[in-house]
Amino acid sequence: MTMTKDINDWRATLPEEWTVRLTGEDGEEREIPLREHPALARYASKDEAVKALVHAQKLLGRTPEGYIRLPGPDADAEQMAAFHAALGRPESPDDYTLPELELPEDLELREELIAGLRARAHELGLTPAQVAGLYHWFLPLVLDAHHCLRDEAQRLRDSELESLRAVHRGETPRLLDKALRAAEAIGGEELLDALTRTGAGDRAAVISAFAKIAPLVLESGLRGAPSGWGEELSREKLREMMQDPRYHDPSRRDDTYVTKVRKGFEALYPGNYVPGGQI
C-alpha cells in the first residue's frame, strides 16, 4: 500500500516500526504499518485522530443510550426481571391483553388455559405485542383442528349408524333404544357419560353388544322383570299403555292393569322408579 502526499500526510510521521494486523478483503490477515491502516484515513490531522481515540476511551465500559446489556449465564432473578422489563415485559401476567376473536357458539376457552398462557408468557419475558401476535396466529389453528375433529366424529357417527340401518333397517330405532336402556341399567349415567366422551357409544359393534344383552339385563328374572309380558317391554310401550282409560280414568281404573304398568317401569328403571315420574 502506497501512501500519497495529500492532507493525510500526517500519517507519514508515524514510526514505520509501528505495525498492526489487518484482515484484507481476501480474508487473509497481514501485518502492516500502522500509518497505512485505512481507519486513520478518515482523519485530516493527527489532532483529530488523537481526539477520536480519547473519546473512544471514555465510552469504554459505558452502556450507550438505547442499548440493553444481555444478562450472563449466572444472572439472578432480579437481573433477569430488569432485563425483561427493559425489553417491554409488563409487571404482571394479568397485564397482557389478548385480542378479541370470534369463537363458535359451542366452544368456550377455559379461564385456566388463558391464565396459564399469560403466566408462561410472563415467565419467558414476552412483550404484550408478542403475546397478542402469537395468540392471534395460534387460536385459529386450534379452532380449525376443533372443527376437523368434530366433523370427523360426526362422519363416524353417520357411518356407524348407516351400517346398523343396513342390517336392521326399520328396527334400528328399537335397537338403539334397547342398547341405551341396557347401558343405563348396567352403569347408569357414569357409563353413559364415558361412552359419549370416548365415542365408544357411537360404534355399531358397541351398540349391537348392548342391544344383545338388553333382554338379560332388562327383562329377565335377574332384574326382577314382571311376569305376564307377552310383548317386548319398552318405554314406548309403557307410554302407550298409560293412555289407556284403565290407567288414567278413575271411573274405569283397573288395578291389575295399573300394577302391570308400574312393574314395567320398575323393570326398565330398576332402583330408580318413581310412580308417575317416568314417561
Side-chain angles (χ1 to χ4, degrees):
M1 178 184 298
T2 302
M3 186 166 51
T4 59
K5 297 292 183 178
D6 55 20
I7 60 173
N8 288 325
D9 280 353
W10 67 269
R11 292 178 293 163
T13 64
L14 297 177
E16 187 174 358
E17 61 270 19
W18 289 5
T19 61
V20 65
R21 301 193 67 82
L22 176 68
T23 301
E25 296 181 357
D26 57 0
E28 294 292 331
E29 188 179 54
R30 300 180 180 86
E31 189 169 352
I32 65 172
L34 175 61
R35 61 189 182 186
E36 295 182 5
H37 197 287
L40 296 180
R42 71 186 65 178
Y43 303 110
S45 67
K46 184 184 298 186
D47 291 344
E48 286 189 13
V50 172
K51 289 180 181 178
L53 175 61
V54 173
H55 180 68
Q57 289 292 330
K58 289 182 179 180
L59 293 178
L60 289 177
R62 294 176 55 184
T63 301
E65 184 178 355
Y67 175 82
I68 302 174
R69 188 179 299 278
L70 183 66
D74 299 329
D76 57 25
E78 184 176 350
Q79 290 173 319
M80 292 302 301
F83 173 68
H84 290 148
L87 292 177
R89 185 185 73 172
E91 294 185 4
S92 168
D94 295 333
D95 294 331
Y96 286 115
T97 301
L98 301 179
E100 292 288 340
L101 297 178
E102 185 176 354
L103 299 177
E105 294 182 359
D106 60 340
L107 183 64
E108 181 178 356
L109 294 179
R110 301 200 304 270
E111 285 298 326
E112 59 267 27
L113 293 180
I114 299 301
L117 169 66
R118 288 192 170 103
R120 183 59 174 162
H122 195 265
E123 179 183 345
L124 294 174
L126 301 184
T127 67
Q130 290 171 332
V131 175
L134 287 173
Y135 182 82
H136 194 278
W137 166 77
F138 186 69
L139 185 59
L141 297 182
V142 175
L143 296 180
D144 288 342
H146 169 74
H147 293 153
C148 290
L149 290 175
R150 184 183 60 184
D151 294 343
E152 181 60 28
Q154 184 60 51
R155 284 193 293 270
L156 175 62
R157 285 192 292 269
D158 294 342
S159 175
E160 295 291 306
L161 182 58
E162 189 60 34
S163 66
L164 288 174
R165 286 172 177 161
V167 176
H168 302 281
R169 301 188 182 278
E171 291 298 311
T172 301
R174 187 182 296 272
L175 179 82
L176 295 173
D177 183 69
K178 289 168 58 177
L180 175 62
R181 290 189 287 112
E184 185 178 22
I186 294 173
E189 292 296 328
E190 185 176 357
L191 176 58
L192 295 180
D193 180 63
L195 292 172
T196 299
R197 285 187 291 103
T198 62
D202 297 326
R203 304 305 294 264
V206 175
I207 295 172
S208 297
F210 276 111
K212 287 179 181 178
I213 66 174
L216 297 175
V217 175
L218 300 176
E219 301 169 23
S220 70
L222 295 176
R223 303 298 296 179
S227 59
W229 283 93
E231 60 279 284
E232 181 181 6
L233 179 61
S234 68
R235 182 169 49 189
E236 289 73 18
K237 179 63 179 177
L238 291 174
R239 287 175 177 173
E240 180 182 341
M241 292 178 67
M242 291 176 65
Q243 303 305 315
D244 192 294
R246 289 176 293 173
Y247 182 88
H248 71 81
D249 189 345
S251 64
R252 301 174 60 182
R253 185 179 182 88
D254 184 333
D255 291 339
T256 301
Y257 187 84
V258 172
T259 299
K260 184 176 181 179
V261 174
R262 179 177 60 79
K263 289 186 174 295
F265 276 115
E266 290 176 348
L268 285 179
Y269 307 96
N272 296 319
Y273 172 69
V274 178
Q278 299 287 358
I279 298 179

